[in-house]
Amino acid sequence: MRIAVISDTHDRLPAHVSAAIAEADEIWHLGDVCTPSILDTLKLLGPKLRVVRGNCDDYSAWPLTLDFDLAGHRFHLEHIPSRTAPAGADFFLHGHTHVPRDETVGRVRFLNPGCITRPNRGAPASYAWLRLGKKKTVEWELVRV
């Protein structure tokens, strides 16, 4: 399973990124979408879309967090990362910092795809692919835009 993970689009989703992630099995947006038309564009691509609300999002219909099981793993999605993950989480995916992250804290892997439109602290503009394989394998690939 290939999951395109994006965050902090802040009203802009470059066409070349939309085209690149159209082949995903799912798309996860980790907040600061800022305008629903971005989600409309992502929905038209076809893959299942999961989204959490960021601190710049005014749409209360979008959840602040999502917790779910997929391919034998427990995922937690939230825009602003806390220092600790919820009990039982294997992966904590977040945005907010505009800086990519792949760090294991305790037994939880924290992942951030960075930001496509406004990277921070010298980070590249980026999104990521999360690949969930058979036998519970997990691969995280940062894509520089």
Side-chain angles (χ1 to χ4, degrees), residues 7 47 115:
S7 187
C115 177

Side-chain angles (χ1 to χ4, degrees), residues 30 91-94 101-102 109-113 130 140:
L30 304 176
F91 295 89
F92 188 130
L93 283 84
H94 68 88
R101 180 182 187 190
D102 183 353
R109 192 168 172 190
F110 286 75
L111 301 170
N112 181 333
L130 178 66
W140 178 255

Side-chain angles (χ1 to χ4, degrees), residues 5-142:
V5 184
I6 61 175
S7 187
D8 298 280
T9 50
H10 292 278
D11 293 319
R12 295 184 315 210
L13 181 62
H16 69 279
V17 173
S18 292
I21 66 175
E23 301 284 324
D25 295 306
E26 291 194 12
I27 299 170
W28 298 353
H29 195 304
L30 304 176
D32 281 359
V33 177
C34 297
T35 181
S37 65
I38 296 291
L39 296 186
D40 294 339
T41 299
L42 293 173
K43 287 176 186 172
L44 287 174
L45 296 177
K48 179 177 183 167
L49 176 63
R50 299 181 199 249
V51 63
V52 292
R53 183 174 8 136
N55 59 299
C56 294
D57 294 324
D58 291 329
Y59 302 93
S60 60
W62 303 343
L64 288 171
T65 65
L66 283 175
D67 294 284
F68 55 92
D69 295 310
L70 186 64
H73 303 284
R74 182 79 179 155
F75 291 91
H76 176 80
L77 278 51
E78 184 170 359
H79 182 64
I80 300 175
S82 58
R83 292 188 183 270
T84 59
D90 299 310
F91 295 89
F92 188 130
L93 283 84
H94 68 88
H96 188 61
T97 64
H98 297 209
V99 177
R101 180 182 187 190
D102 183 353
E103 177 183 17
T104 300
V105 179
R107 63 171 211 82
V108 179
R109 192 168 172 190
F110 286 75
L111 301 170
N112 181 333
C115 177
I116 296 167
T117 57
R118 298 184 335 191
N120 196 5
R121 292 185 253 156
S126 61
Y127 67 94
W129 285 104
L130 178 66
R131 290 181 182 87
L132 307 176
K134 295 178 181 175
K135 301 182 184 177
K136 295 179 73 171
T137 60
V138 176
E139 295 176 19
W140 178 255
E141 177 191 359
L142 193 68

